Amino acid sequence: MLDATSSYNPMGTRIPVADRTGHRTVPETTRSTERRLPGTRYGNRPTMKDVAARAGVGLKTVSRVVNGEPGVTPETERRVQEAIEALGFRRNDSARVLRKGRTASIGLVLEDLADPFYGPLSRAVEEVARAHGALLINGSSAEDADREQELVLALCARRVDGLVVIPAGDDHRYLEPELKAGVATVFVDRPAGHIDADVVVSDNFGGARDGVRHLIAHGHRRIGFIGDMPRIHTAAERLRGYRTAMEDAGIPVEDPWMSLGVTDPERVRRAAREMLSGPEPVTAIFTGNNRVTVTVIRVLAGHPRPVALVGFDDIELADLLQPGVTVVAQDAAALGRTAAERLFRQLDGTLLAPERIELPTRLITRGSGELPPAD
Amino acid sequence: MLDATSSYNPMGTRIPVADRTGHRTVPETTRSTERRLPGTRYGNRPTMKDVAARAGVGLKTVSRVVNGEPGVTPETERRVQEAIEALGFRRNDSARVLRKGRTASIGLVLEDLADPFYGPLSRAVEEVARAHGALLINGSSAEDADREQELVLALCARRVDGLVVIPAGDDHRYLEPELKAGVATVFVDRPAGHIDADVVVSDNFGGARDGVRHLIAHGHRRIGFIGDMPRIHTAAERLRGYRTAMEDAGIPVEDPWMSLGVTDPERVRRAAREMLSGPEPVTAIFTGNNRVTVTVIRVLAGHPRPVALVGFDDIELADLLQPGVTVVAQDAAALGRTAAERLFRQLDGTLLAPERIELPTRLITRGSGELPPAD
DNA sequence: CCCGACTCTGACAACGTTGTCCAGGCTCTA
DNA sequence: TAGAGCCTGGACAACGTTGTCAGAGTCGGG
C-alpha cells in the first residue's frame, strides 16, 4: 500500500516530516510508489495542434488568434474560435513560460499567513502584482530559516520573476546566484543578511522609542519590555528604542524589566507576571508585537491594580477595551505595497541601486498608555 | 513614455483598471510598450547543457544527478555537483512541468486574504499542500464573480494540479472543461453553482439557529438579524437559521428586523441604528459574520441601554470586551485542511464521487448573549 | 499582362527538461 | 578466453508554445 504522502508528489520533494521510521529514504532502483505511467498527462488536454487540425489551419495561426495578434482574416479567426470552444482548449502557460522566459508570477515568503499582520501585507502585494498581470505564490516560513531557504529556492526553480521575502534567517548569501540571474528581490519588515538588496521596513526603533516616551511622559519610570526573540531584527530594534527612550530620560534599565523570547502565550504570561510582582513591580509595560500585546492584555485584565500598556502593532477592537489600548501602529498594507511596487520597478528596469526604505509608525493613544503609575 | 502598468506585463493580460481614458486598448500592429527584445531571457541562467559541458558528461547524466536517480559513479557525480555549484545552476521547473504534466502547485481563490477568517484557512491549505510537495498560489476575488472566473482560469492556464475555490459567483459551469481535463477541485465555505463537485462548508444554518435560540432562551423576542448580501450562500443559510429559530419559538418575524447587504461599516451602522430605534426596538441582534459583528459592537458600545448580541464567526479579544461577545465559531483552519486533504485524495485517485462535507459550528458563550431584554 | 507590394498563412526551430533506448566497458562464470 | 550480464553514460525525441522566415495568394498600377 502507498502511504498518503508519497502518492501525489510530483516534484519528488523530500518532505521533512519528522522521520519517525529512522531509516533513510533509499532511492533504490525504482520504488513502487514512484512509478508513474510514462506519458500520463492526466486529462489529455487539447493543444494548439488539435485546435489547428480541427480548424483546418496552421499551428501558428491558432497561436495568433489566441494571443490576439494581427494578421488573421475574420473568417479564419471565426473557425479557430469555434474549434477552441468545441475542444475546450486553454493555452498552457507552462509551455508559454518556457518559451518566453518570464512566468508572470512572483513569490512571497512570510512567516505565517494566519497572522493578522501578514494577511493585509500579502493582500497588498497581490493587488500590485495583479496590476502587472502577475500571480502571487505564497509561502509560510514558520519563522524557520531552513524552511525559508527551501521555499525561496523552490520559488526560484519555478522561475518566479520576483521575490518578496520577510526573512526568517539572517544569512541570505544563498540568494546571490539568483540575484545575479535577474530575479528581482525585495526584503520586507526585516533587512537581508550579508547581501545587498532592496529593503522596506517600518521605523521599529523610532516607533518603540516614541511608545516608551509616551509612558514616561505619563509619569512612569519602572517600565517593562516584553518582546520577541532578540535574533529577529524587528525585536532587536524595538528593544533598542525602549533602551534609548529610557536612557534619554535618565532612567537606568533594570534587567528584570526586559524579557525577550518566543511569543508563545505561556512564556509571555510568565514574563508579565514576574514583572508585575516582587517588591518593585513595573507600573507600565511596552509589548513588542501584536501577539505579545494580546496575551499581556489578558494578564492585565486579571491584575488587581491598573497597569499602563503600549503595544507595538495595532490590534482589532483595541479601541473598545477598557481602557482602550494605546499602540504604535505600522501599516502592513503599505509595507507590502511599497515592496511590491519596488519589485516591479526592478523588473521594469527603471531601478538602479538597492535602497533601504523606512516607513513611519504612528502612535495611536487610546487610554491604556495614559494611566498614571499606581504607587 | 511608458506607463508603469504596461512596462512589465509578461502575460499581456488586459488589466481592467477602471479605464479612465475611455478609448479601447487597440492591439494595433505592435505598441511600443509591448515591444520586447526577442530572445531576452533575463539573466541567461545556466542550463543542464552548460553543466554537462563543464563537467564533461552527457546531458542525461546531469539530469540523473539533479534528480538523485541511480546509475552514476560517485566520481562522475562529484564532477557534476562541482559544475552545478560553480555555475549556480538551478533546475528550471517550468521545463520540468512541461515534460511531466504536473506542476506540483495548487490554486486557492478566496475573497480577501486580509480578512482574519481567510488567513488561517489559507495557511491550513498551504500546510497540506506542503506535505504533498506542492506550492500554493493565492488569489483574492474581492467577492466579484468575474474576477473569480478570471483568476480560476488563469490558474488553470498555469496548469495547477488542483483548485480550492471559495466561490464569489453562483455559476461555475465555466469550470466544466477543466474538471473534465482532470483538474482536482474542491469548493469551500460555499457550494458551487450548477456543477457537481466536492464541497466543504460549515453548518451555517444550524449554527445561526443555535445562536438565535440562545438569545430566545434568555428571554428575547424582538431579535434583529444583520447579514451579508443574500446572494451569498452562507448569508442566506444563516438567515434561514435565524428564521427557523424564530418560527420554532412561535415568534413572527418582522421585516424591519432583518437587514441584508454589503458589509460596509456605514451600511451596517445604519441598519443597527434603525433596528434599535422606533417604538418597538429590538432587544438583541444576531450578526451574520465577523465584519458585521465588529461594526455592531461599536454601535452597541455607544448605545444607552444594553443590547444582547450573538455573532457568527469568532473574533479576537471577544472575551475581553465588556461584556464578552458570545459567538457561533466556525473553524476556518479545519475548513481549509479538510478541503485540501480532499483535493489531494482526488489527485491520488483514491476518491470517487463528489461529496458535500459539513463541519459543525460551536456556540461560545461569553456574556453578550445572556443579557436579558431591557424593557 | 506583368511586377511589386502587401496580406495572410504555415513549416520549422527553439525554450530546458525527462523518458527511452542503445552502446561500450566492465565483471563474472563456464 | 569467450560469452552473458550488469553498470554507466549519452543521443535523441518529446512536452506545448512562440519567433522567424518564407511561400502563396491578392491587388493595383504601369
Side-chain angles (χ1 to χ4, degrees), chain A residues 1-311:
Chain A
M1 287 271 80
L2 320 179
D3 70 301
T5 314
S6 53
S7 189
Y8 168 95
N9 191 345
M11 280 303 168
T13 320
R14 296 269 174 285
I15 312 290
V17 272
D19 191 346
R20 30 204 188 304
T21 62
H23 60 70
R24 297 199 34 196
T25 337
V26 196
E28 288 179 22
T29 46
T30 303
R31 306 243 321 279
S32 65
T33 58
E34 285 175 9
R35 197 181 329 159
R36 198 179 307 286
L37 277 62
T40 299
R41 293 195 332 292
Y42 41 133
N44 266 27
R45 304 193 67 132
T47 73
M48 284 196 178
K49 212 159 150 187
D50 302 324
V51 175
R54 169 149 186 152
V57 302
L59 188 55
K60 182 64 215 221
T61 300
V62 177
S63 171
R64 273 192 272 262
V65 171
V66 169
N67 294 297
E69 287 171 29
V72 182
T73 336
E75 160 59 14
T76 311
E77 170 157 6
R78 198 191 49 72
R79 283 219 314 284
V80 172
Q81 285 293 9
E82 220 171 66
I84 289 179
E85 204 75 18
L87 296 173
F89 166 80
R90 189 98 58 209
R91 182 176 68 188
N92 184 331
D93 279 346
S94 288
R96 181 168 217 250
V97 149
L98 180 59
R99 190 61 234 262
K100 303 203 89 153
R102 289 233 162 157
T103 58
S105 52
I106 66 173
L108 169 60
V109 177
L110 36 69
E111 191 204 325
D112 178 6
L113 206 41
D115 186 303
F117 177 70
Y118 294 113
L121 192 153
S122 175
R123 176 70 200 273
V125 172
E126 187 200 335
E127 284 305 317
V128 176
R130 178 176 145 84
H132 288 264
L135 287 177
L136 179 63
I137 306 182
N138 260 305
S140 297
S141 69
E143 201 62 82
D144 171 344
D146 290 340
R147 187 157 161 185
E148 173 209 302
Q149 178 169 350
E150 174 198 322
L151 265 170
V152 166
L153 293 184
L155 290 167
C156 288
R158 302 293 174 100
R159 295 292 187 272
V160 292
D161 297 333
L163 276 171
V164 177
V165 181
I166 295 168
D170 48 10
D171 184 353
H172 295 88
R173 272 172 295 187
Y174 70 87
L175 262 172
E176 261 164 20
E178 312 301 330
L179 292 190
K180 220 170 288 167
V183 181
T185 307
V186 179
F187 290 84
V188 190
D189 192 42
R190 314 167 187 172
H194 305 107
I195 202 169
D196 191 30
D198 273 316
V199 178
V200 180
V201 292
S202 283
D203 179 13
N204 292 293
F205 166 75
R209 189 197 48 202
D210 294 349
V212 175
R213 276 188 185 159
H214 178 75
L215 290 167
I216 294 171
H218 284 82
H220 294 273
R221 293 185 61 84
R222 297 203 305 279
I223 303 172
F225 178 96
I226 308 183
D228 211 329
M229 292 171 289
R231 67 168 179 77
I232 299 179
H233 180 262
T234 49
E237 279 295 286
R238 292 169 199 176
L239 176 61
R240 196 164 66 82
Y242 163 83
R243 297 192 102 118
T244 302
M246 296 292 269
E247 280 166 22
D248 287 357
I251 308 172
V253 176
E254 311 267 337
D255 263 357
W257 293 353
M258 289 176 299
S259 170
L260 294 138
V262 291
T263 56
D264 164 57
E266 190 42 52
R267 202 275 303 174
V268 171
R269 243 188 320 262
R270 211 169 29 240
R273 294 216 178 99
E274 270 169 30
M275 290 180 187
L276 292 168
S277 60
E280 292 229 305
V282 300
T283 63
I285 296 181
F286 185 87
T287 49
N289 70 32
N290 56 355
R291 280 166 306 219
V292 175
T293 307
V294 167
T295 305
V296 170
I297 291 174
R298 292 220 158 79
V299 172
L300 296 187
H303 196 70
R305 51 167 217 286
V307 173
L309 170 68
V310 173

